[in-house]
Each structure stands twice: as structure tokens, then as C-alpha cells.
């Protein structure tokens, strides 16, 4: 254990776009929208904190990794994720754009970062990061799917 610059950078790169919501809040948010439930929200927050914290202190897991197929997929997921954020901003920050499918990927702005975190857990061989990713996946995907379904029905 110890501070991991690579882990910290991965966490920041994956979570930084969410800060765009401060500068570019979504428009046309349906009234009455709620999360999928308290359990999912708690799992999502625990997963977010776990992913950030574990990546930041994962020196042993990431100090000898080599760039390969897994790392290439992490980069690909991040690039597509950033592209979706550009789409969101360019098309006027419409709430529905946060959930719109991308080709065959439902709720891609939720799926892609979870997949990138999951691949980081595999790449760094971290069981603790894997546990945090499972919590994040359950909570974030449930809340995002709930919002997506809500916007489809409005």
C-alpha cells in the first residue's frame, strides 16, 4: 500500500467530467425524479469513495503494470466517455442526453466509467478495488437506469 500516482490519475480522469455538472447543469430535468432507492444510492456513494480511495493508495497494485490490452480498453472507454460529455455540452445540456443509449450500450455515461474502473481492478489485480467497483456498479447503474426509464416515460 501507499500513494499511487497512476491510481490517483485514473480516479481523477474518470470522475472529473462529473464536475462539469456544476458548470453545465442539465436542462429539462423532469420534476419528481428520484433515485432508485436509498440502498442503491448508498452503494453508489460507497463505491465512488471506495474506487477513489483504493486507487489513490494502490501503489503496490500499479507500480509494475504494463500497458497492454486491458489498459488500451480503459483508455478507449475513457475516450468514448469524454466524447459523450462533449455531446452533452454541445447539444445544450439536455438531461435526457445523460442517459441516451450509444449504439447498443444502454446508459453509456454510467456503464463506461464503471467498466473502466472494473478493468482497472483487473489490471491492478486488486480485490478491494473489485469490491468497490461492484458496489459502484450496483448503485450507479440502478440509479442511472431508473433515471433513464423515467425520462423515457415523460
Amino acid at each position: 500500500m501507499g500513494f499511487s500516482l497512476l491510481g490517483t490519475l485514473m480516479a481523477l480522469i474518470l470522475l472529473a467530467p462529473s464536475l462539469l455538472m456544476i458548470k453545465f447543469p442539465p436542462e429539462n430535468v423532469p420534476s419528481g425524479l428520484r433515485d432508485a432507492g436509498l440502498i442503491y444510492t448508498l452503494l453508489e456513494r460507497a463505491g465512488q469513495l471506495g474506487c477513489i480511495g483504493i486507487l489513490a493508495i494502490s501503489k503496490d497494485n500499479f507500480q509494475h503494470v504494463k500497458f497492454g490490452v486491458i489498459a488500451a480498453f480503459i483508455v478507449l472507454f475513457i475516450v468514448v466517455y469524454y466524447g459523450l460529455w462533449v455531446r452533452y455540452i454541445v447539444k445544450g445540456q439536455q438531461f435526457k442526453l445523460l442517459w441516451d443509449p450509444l449504439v447498443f450500450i444502454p446508459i453509456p455515461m454510467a456503464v463506461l466509467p464503471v467498466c473502466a474502473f472494473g478493468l482497472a481492478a483487473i489490471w491492478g489485480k486488486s480485490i478491494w478495488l473489485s469490491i468497490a467497483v461492484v458496489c459502484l456498479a450496483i448503485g450507479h447503474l440502478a440509479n442511472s437506469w431508473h433515471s433513464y426509464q423515467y425520462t423515457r416515460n415523460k
Side-chain angles (χ1 to χ4, degrees):
M1 284 217 309
F3 176 74
S4 170
L5 181 60
L6 179 59
T8 302
L9 286 173
M10 279 192 288
L12 290 174
I13 287 169
L14 282 164
L15 296 173
S18 297
L19 297 175
L20 290 172
M21 298 283 270
I22 296 167
K23 177 79 172 149
F24 303 101
E27 300 197 10
N28 300 319
V29 178
S31 62
L33 178 65
R34 305 244 186 285
D35 285 341
L38 180 61
I39 298 296
Y40 294 114
T41 300
L42 291 174
L43 281 169
E44 181 178 19
R45 297 299 173 257
Q48 288 168 332
L49 289 172
C51 287
I52 295 166
I54 292 164
L55 279 169
I57 63 166
S58 60
K59 178 181 175 187
D60 295 343
N61 298 89
F62 290 102
Q63 70 184 40
H64 298 295
V65 293
K66 304 233 183 305
F67 191 89
V69 173
I70 293 174
F73 272 101
I74 292 170
V75 170
L76 175 66
F77 291 159
I78 291 170
V79 167
V80 174
Y81 180 57
Y82 271 65
L84 291 170
W85 276 102
V86 169
R87 174 186 77 174
Y88 165 77
I89 292 169
V90 168
K91 289 192 171 186
Q93 298 102 246
Q94 297 302 307
F95 182 76
K96 151 183 169 0
L97 290 172
L98 295 170
W99 321 114
D100 271 358
L102 176 66
V103 190
F104 60 89
I105 303 171
I107 55 171
M109 291 183 78
V111 170
L112 292 171
V114 169
C115 288
F117 278 124
L119 287 175
I122 293 167
W123 191 39
K125 298 179 179 95
S126 172
I127 188 70
W128 298 111
L129 183 55
S130 298
I131 292 167
V133 171
V134 168
C135 291
L136 176 63
I138 293 168
H140 191 49
L141 297 177
N143 279 331
S144 296
W145 185 256
H146 180 77
S147 295
Y148 169 66
Q149 293 290 21
Y150 196 85
T151 60
R152 281 185 44 190
N153 297 327
K154 290 290 173 186

